[in-house]
Amino acid sequence: MEINSKTIDNEDPNIINENVKIATEKQVKSINEEDNIKKDSTNQICNSNSSSEGEINLPVVDKDKVRILTYNIFMRPPPIHSFESDFKEDRIKLICKELFQNFDIIAFQECFSFGSFRIDKIKEKAKKNGLVYFSNSKKKHTWNIGIDGGLCLLSRYPVINKKLYYFKNGCHSDAYSEKGVLFNEIEIPNGNHLFIFTSHTQASYEHFPSITSESVRVRLSQFTEIRKFITSMTENAKPTDIILLCGDLNVNGRLNKDDGTTHSEEYKAVLSILKGNLSIIKKEKEKDKEKDKEKEKEKGKGKEKEKEKEINKEVNKDSEKEEKEKENMNENINEKDKIKENENENENENRNENKNEKDNKNNDKDKDKDKEKVKEKENKYVEIISETAEYEVEDLFYNELNEHPVTSCDLFADDYYKDGKGKKSRKCLDYFFTFKKLNAQKSETTSPEVKVTESESNNNNNNNNNNTSNVSSKVVIKDLTINKFDVTDKKFVHLSDHYGLSLNIVT
């Protein structure tokens, strides 16, 4: 049995034994505590060749290169499965065996702790391979009905700050999962900090959902929450620090199965939200507001017509009374008429005043009701934030490949399915976004350079493009790779129903 995953950078790393950080015994013990945030920056990391039970077996670490992986491992809770429990136990063993030695920071999605001890296995195996810093998305309250969000972050380097944010809304079956965003601030070599955010947003259960569908609307609202959370957690980030958002974001960037170069409408909306420009969402809301205004105008016109009719009726009644009185009066017609006309005018004025007061009260009640209806509608929409675009946002893989790569796959071979065909949905659901503070360009300190030099194509072939984003010469993001994690000699042909995305930060 083999697992094949092409890696771009096969050159031998410079082995550093003195300056490479590792966890001390005190750090290892702290992993079993709930909060394993770094408390002593003087702790050192060193190589250990021991592989006995309970000891850390660290691979050789190149301090000048930080290897990062994001991967949806398709480990749904025990009651949920498609075929023979999705071979979860077999796959979790292979994941623990093959991944932990090859990466320094790993972001997992669909790594649920609900109803099983798989998360404990991952934590234990990761620790033995030097990934001693662990955090996951726990349930907000243990008594809540539902499951956790399935997020997990593992790091070989010290975590100095971490936080979990819970989304406000979810729909369909996702409403029973406490989804959100998991954040770690990690101290990487040379004193730089990595602000990494991972999420698994609202899922859609159609292949290419409409942007007006409920799942998409909920997902867009979650992205506004992600954007605000990133802003709040990176206020103190330096220009040399790196800010990454990664994960299975459930946004299909491809227009359709065959067209990956053209952005989907939802992807455009998401990119606009992440940049802080929420005009797309605002327009949707403004359209409905205009419709409500038109309805209000129509209601107002109808009320005015009713008022006119009532006034005319009263005027007609008054005129009939006047005619009868005139017929019965023979003397002093002119004087009496004048007196009566004055009296009638006064009465009409008083009546009109009373009616106007009643109408005003009724109008105020109607306005209050309309305001309540508007508030109820607003609650259904995305929260509008008056936030300026403080970041330059870049989709690393799209900018490198000039298309949205396919990141979804079938867990099994075609002959395993009844119709002899897998889903072959050809979606791009997984991403690495970088956020660079715009005010950093004016700073004297140089910002990280995003240099995407080599990446693996959908056919697992190397694509040697040397596109460069000029940001800095000190920190470089490179070696973007699509990891298919093929498996042989098993019923399943991939480790998951997603491909993993990886990159290297070179300091």
Side-chain angles (χ1 to χ4, degrees), residues 12-20 47 59-64:
D12 294 332
N14 296 323
I15 300 175
I16 309 294
N17 290 321
E18 295 180 358
N19 297 324
V20 182
N47 288 327
V60 174
V61 178
D62 182 355
K63 73 167 187 177
D64 296 326

Side-chain angles (χ1 to χ4, degrees), residues 185-248:
E185 180 181 352
I186 301 172
E187 183 179 337
I188 56 178
N190 295 341
N192 295 305
H193 284 199
L194 168 66
F195 293 76
I196 185 167
F197 301 80
T198 186
S199 186
H200 186 205
T201 60
Q202 172 69 47
S204 292
Y205 296 94
E206 349 33 335
H207 282 305
F208 294 92
S210 167
I211 196 168
T212 59
S213 67
E214 183 183 7
S215 62
V216 173
R217 299 300 296 176
V218 169
R219 189 158 53 243
L220 292 178
S221 71
Q222 291 175 351
F223 274 101
T224 64
E225 295 176 67
I226 291 173
R227 174 61 164 79
K228 293 178 76 174
F229 184 57
I230 290 174
T231 301
S232 66
M233 300 308 297
T234 59
E235 287 180 348
N236 299 322
K238 298 180 295 183
T240 52
D241 295 334
I242 294 177
I243 303 170
L244 290 178
L245 168 64
C246 65
D248 173 9

